[in-house]
Amino acid sequence: MTEPILTLSGVSKTYKGGFTALHGVDLTINKGEIFALLGPNGAGKTTLISIICGIVTPSTGTIHVGGHDAIADYKAARSLIGLVPQELSVDMFETVLATVTFSRRLFGRSGHSAYIEQVLRDLSLWDKRNNKIMELSGGMKRRVLIAKALAHEPEVLFLDEPTAGVDVALRRDMWKLVHRLRERGTTIILTTHYIEEAEEMADRVGVINKGRLLLVDQKEALMQKLGKRELDLTLVDALDAVPAGLERWQLSLVNEGHTLRYVFDATNEDTGIPSLLHELSARHIAFKDLETSKSSLEDIFVDLVEERA
Ligand SMILES: Nc1ncnc2c1ncn2[C@@H]1O[C@H](COP(=O)(O)OP(=O)(O)OP(=O)(O)O)[C@@H](O)[C@H]1O
């Protein structure tokens, strides 16, 4: 049974100065799901998270977290939320353990050492617990932010651009941790502008652009939409037209006939590429180079925005 943990209704934000960063966002997140909010720079992702966490006041709309009104009943709503911000916001002179324990106490929770130990172990920080934050590497400092956010056992964890600028090892650890948290029933909402990240982690994805939530869909359905790729074959001899008999692939000629382009769905088991190459060879159409490219997030947004216009 799906049970909502977070409900937004008609949430808008116009900043002082008149810029509207969010336009009437409606969104329901269910308990235990991993939701990715995907959008380019400036789309409104941080604004939306900040509103839910009570850091920014919405201009209109209502927000409920675990049934609590996030404005009228701020404290109760906020106690259910853990927020991992984009930027470091810790006292550099404190130790890891003191920092995380302090975050737990802020929410009125007693120092539950076994829980904190588990969090620090999960994040490979236990051995560093007595180090000052300033003595940690950048990646470890990011882990401390996650530990701080988890310190009071929140039901909903927000990760704002969790893997921007982190190395592959930390990214992997982060993904593992997210899956482990989900197994324990934590709801996770992450913002990202990497499709791969949404693909790897999320159950559902919301696409936001220019302050509007353009669509919310199951990951598989969205990936189908976003999974377009291009195969460019650089021909040895330029062609005037796409050869007859290859209609099935809906090819196009670009680069003044030097490049044959095939747009395919990378999520299909049969991409159509082997059979295309076979047909080209049978027609003695030789190519000297071959390149595939993903449609960029930019292209996808343009597509989505145009579709919805
Ligand atoms: N305090 C503020 N005052 C005025 N405008 C703001 C303020 N904070 C954000 N904005 C504007 O609101 C828009 C959305 O910003 P926001 O930080 O929510 O985007 P984002 O999707 O999180 O982007 P990024 O991926 O770059 O973090 C941007 O155009 C930004 O300039």
Side-chain angles (χ1 to χ4, degrees):
M1 241 220 29
T2 52
E3 191 185 330
I5 181 98
L6 176 67
T7 319
L8 304 182
S9 175
V11 173
S12 301
K13 175 65 186 178
T14 302
Y15 282 109
K16 271 185 213 141
F19 181 78
T20 301
L22 287 178
H23 302 263
V25 171
D26 298 316
L27 178 64
T28 300
I29 307 280
N30 295 317
K31 232 178 205 171
E33 75 172 329
I34 302 181
F35 186 87
L37 196 58
L38 190 62
N41 287 135
K45 304 182 294 292
T46 304
T47 302
L48 190 61
I49 288 193
S50 303
I51 287 176
I52 299 166
C53 296
I55 300 163
V56 167
T57 323
S59 306
T60 66
T62 56
I63 301 115
H64 285 89
V65 187
H68 305 288
D69 186 311
I71 299 166
D73 201 1
Y74 164 78
K75 263 193 141 173
R78 184 64 182 86
S79 73
L80 300 179
I81 295 174
L83 169 64
V84 183
Q86 275 182 35
E87 278 159 27
L88 214 59
S89 51
V90 286
D91 181 346
M92 288 292 166
F93 297 98
E94 271 297 357
T95 66
V96 170
L97 188 60
T99 301
V100 176
T101 306
F102 178 74
S103 286
R104 184 177 170 88
R105 292 221 167 98
L106 267 186
F107 287 92
R109 298 236 182 197
S110 63
H112 184 323
S113 54
Y115 175 78
I116 288 185
E117 177 175 342
Q118 189 57 50
V119 167
L120 293 180
R121 283 191 188 280
D122 282 351
L123 288 157
S124 312
L125 281 173
W126 184 242
D127 292 343
K128 301 277 178 192
R129 65 189 177 282
N130 295 319
N131 284 70
K132 292 195 173 101
I133 308 283
M134 62 192 283
E135 296 162 357
L136 304 181
S137 72
M140 286 171 188
K141 287 180 190 135
R142 301 280 295 238
R143 290 169 201 251
V144 173
L145 291 183
I146 302 175
K148 253 167 66 85
L150 289 172
H152 64 288
E153 300 175 52
E155 287 189 31
V156 186
L157 182 69
F158 283 93
L159 297 161
D160 198 2
E161 302 276 352
T163 59
V166 309
D167 67 12
V168 177
L170 179 53
R171 188 170 305 179
R172 294 245 169 81
D173 280 3
M174 205 100 97
W175 288 353
K176 270 194 240 153
L177 177 74
V178 163
H179 287 296
R180 257 199 326 262
L181 287 169
R182 198 256 297 267
E183 276 162 26
R184 289 182 213 154
T186 310
T187 307
I188 292 152
I189 299 164
L190 62 110
T191 72
T192 182
H193 40 244
Y194 299 118
I195 289 185
E196 288 78 6
E197 193 153 88
E199 191 169 357
E200 179 73 24
M201 299 217 262
D203 302 313
R204 259 189 334 145
V205 177
V207 177
I208 185 167
N209 193 25
K210 295 188 180 142
R212 291 181 204 278
L213 200 54
L214 297 177
L215 62 84
V216 175
D217 217 335
Q218 295 295 325
K219 178 179 68 185
E220 279 75 21
L222 194 62
M223 288 307 146
Q224 206 100 35
K225 254 189 196 148
L226 307 188
K228 265 193 268 167
R229 283 188 203 213
E230 285 174 0
L231 169 69
D232 276 353
L233 297 164
T234 309
L235 302 171
V236 172
D237 300 309
L239 291 171
D240 296 331
V242 174
L246 302 179
E247 291 76 14
R248 191 192 128 196
W249 289 272
Q250 300 187 324
L251 304 172
S252 57
L253 270 175
V254 294
N255 191 18
E256 293 171 345
H258 289 282
T259 304
L260 200 54
R261 176 167 294 168
Y262 170 46
V263 179
F264 63 100
D265 183 347
T267 57
N268 266 357
E269 205 153 293
D270 177 14
T271 56
I273 293 174
S275 48
L276 171 63
L277 297 185
H278 181 78
E279 289 295 322
L280 290 176
S281 154
R283 286 171 170 73
H284 305 291
I285 300 170
F287 56 89
K288 53 188 175 189
D289 194 15
L290 147 168
E291 194 179 9
T292 67
S293 58
K294 259 189 193 175
S295 9
S296 72
L297 191 54
E298 208 63 43
D299 296 339
I300 290 158
F301 280 118
V302 170
D303 279 359
L304 279 171
V305 174
E306 280 175 356
E307 249 175 56
R308 309 256 143 178

